[in-house]
Amino acid sequence: MEKDTCAPRQQHSGGAPEELALRGGLQGRMAGGFGALQSSVDALQRYLACNAPPQLRQTALDLLDDMTGRIALLYRLSCNAARLAAGAGMRGADEAAPLELSGYLSALAGCANEELAMRGFAARIRLEGAGPLWVLGSASLLDGIFTNLLSNLLCARTDGEMLLTLSPDRTLRYADNGPGMDPAAARALLEQGRPTAELLDRGALGLLLVRDYAAALGWQITVEQGAGLRLCFRLPPQPDPAGLVLQDSAGDAVRRGILAADLRRELDGVFGTPPRRT
């Protein structure tokens, strides 16, 4: 990635005790429970690999591999539910800081396309429009928006394409070639936060989080007409130019690593952990 793009994620320096307790209580206990469950599965796998009779070993190990994938999926869903339940408390997790959006989106496309290729998916992210365009916000909230949109598309088709178009009028348009949604249902969900019963049955947590994260950033979502899912994010005015600080290449590398890890965790929760090249 080019030098002098996006600022690194900053650590939270405070927050109401009840907000932090809600985040820690929900997500912390879930993480601990799922971590203990996965440790038990790992221990059982090691025991069976060493001690089970050959006619039993492979069947049992295959079942445990399937269980590991289901644990990752359930953990992802539980984290999404915890973030939605935390609501405004979640939004204080990171301090807002100036962030150059075109650099962030370039890093997003690069990290995502590399991860998708690693998994053997033909899906790709394309970016159009030139920067720089500065916003005030949290990189972790941006990660949440785009990782959820990407996994939503991939669940429909692993050869899908996501197009992000950044315009000087401070709009960011999202378009994909997935199956899309009923326009009325999409507007109710993403503009008003009111999912239909059918969408809830199919799972709408990720898109509800997209709406919640966008609201935390001060971005207004409009659902647009067209094939697939098409969204327009209207961005707030540019931050005070006096507060804009370019980040050096070392900070870029840190930010890219955080983004890559966020993408990997999201896709591992949906599709399982792929073999990694060494």
Short mmCIF file of all heavy atoms in Angstrom, two decimals, residues 19 24 27 60 63 85 118 218 226 241 248 253 256:
data_model
loop_
_atom_site.label_atom_id
_atom_site.label_comp_id
_atom_site.label_asym_id
_atom_site.label_seq_id
_atom_site.Cartn_x
_atom_site.Cartn_y
_atom_site.Cartn_z
N GLU A 19 -21.45 0.90 30.28
CA GLU A 19 -21.21 0.53 28.89
C GLU A 19 -20.12 -0.53 28.79
O GLU A 19 -20.26 -1.52 28.08
CB GLU A 19 -20.82 1.77 28.08
CG GLU A 19 -21.94 2.80 27.95
CD GLU A 19 -21.49 4.04 27.19
OE1 GLU A 19 -20.29 4.11 26.87
OE2 GLU A 19 -22.32 4.91 26.93
N GLY A 24 -18.13 -6.09 28.20
CA GLY A 24 -17.33 -7.16 28.79
C GLY A 24 -18.19 -8.32 29.25
O GLY A 24 -17.82 -9.48 29.08
N GLN A 27 -19.73 -10.07 25.69
CA GLN A 27 -18.71 -10.63 24.80
C GLN A 27 -17.65 -11.41 25.57
O GLN A 27 -17.16 -12.43 25.09
CB GLN A 27 -18.07 -9.52 23.97
CG GLN A 27 -19.03 -8.93 22.95
CD GLN A 27 -18.36 -7.93 22.04
OE1 GLN A 27 -18.69 -6.75 22.06
NE2 GLN A 27 -17.44 -8.37 21.23
N ALA A 60 -14.47 -40.18 13.94
CA ALA A 60 -14.55 -39.28 15.09
C ALA A 60 -13.86 -37.96 14.82
O ALA A 60 -14.37 -36.89 15.16
CB ALA A 60 -13.93 -39.96 16.32
N LEU A 63 -15.98 -35.75 12.61
CA LEU A 63 -17.07 -35.13 13.38
C LEU A 63 -16.57 -33.95 14.20
O LEU A 63 -17.24 -32.92 14.29
CB LEU A 63 -17.72 -36.18 14.29
CG LEU A 63 -18.59 -37.23 13.61
CD1 LEU A 63 -19.00 -38.31 14.62
CD2 LEU A 63 -19.83 -36.59 13.00
N ALA A 85 -26.75 -5.85 21.06
CA ALA A 85 -27.34 -5.63 22.37
C ALA A 85 -26.66 -4.49 23.11
O ALA A 85 -27.30 -3.73 23.85
CB ALA A 85 -27.26 -6.92 23.20
N MET A 118 -6.83 -16.76 -1.24
CA MET A 118 -6.31 -17.82 -0.38
C MET A 118 -7.36 -18.92 -0.19
O MET A 118 -7.03 -20.11 -0.14
CB MET A 118 -5.92 -17.23 0.98
CG MET A 118 -5.42 -18.24 1.98
SD MET A 118 -3.72 -18.73 1.71
CE MET A 118 -2.86 -17.24 2.23
N GLY A 218 -21.79 8.55 11.99
CA GLY A 218 -22.50 9.71 11.46
C GLY A 218 -22.78 9.61 9.98
O GLY A 218 -23.05 10.62 9.32
N GLY A 226 -31.65 -0.86 -8.21
CA GLY A 226 -30.72 -1.54 -9.07
C GLY A 226 -30.58 -3.00 -8.69
O GLY A 226 -31.08 -3.44 -7.64
N PRO A 241 -9.17 20.64 9.14
CA PRO A 241 -7.89 20.32 8.49
C PRO A 241 -6.70 20.39 9.45
O PRO A 241 -5.70 19.70 9.25
CB PRO A 241 -7.78 21.38 7.39
CG PRO A 241 -9.19 21.80 7.12
CD PRO A 241 -9.90 21.71 8.44
N ASP A 248 2.70 7.32 8.69
CA ASP A 248 3.82 6.79 7.93
C ASP A 248 3.60 5.34 7.57
O ASP A 248 2.62 4.71 7.95
CB ASP A 248 5.13 6.98 8.70
CG ASP A 248 5.15 6.23 10.03
OD1 ASP A 248 4.34 5.30 10.20
OD2 ASP A 248 5.98 6.58 10.89
N ALA A 253 1.38 -0.50 7.93
CA ALA A 253 1.56 -1.95 8.07
C ALA A 253 0.79 -2.48 9.27
O ALA A 253 0.17 -3.54 9.20
CB ALA A 253 3.04 -2.28 8.20
N ARG A 256 -2.94 -2.42 8.35
CA ARG A 256 -3.26 -3.47 7.38
C ARG A 256 -3.32 -4.82 8.08
O ARG A 256 -4.17 -5.65 7.76
CB ARG A 256 -2.20 -3.49 6.27
CG ARG A 256 -2.55 -4.41 5.10
CD ARG A 256 -1.46 -4.37 4.04
NE ARG A 256 -1.76 -5.27 2.94
CZ ARG A 256 -2.39 -4.92 1.85
NH1 ARG A 256 -2.80 -3.68 1.69
NH2 ARG A 256 -2.62 -5.79 0.88
#
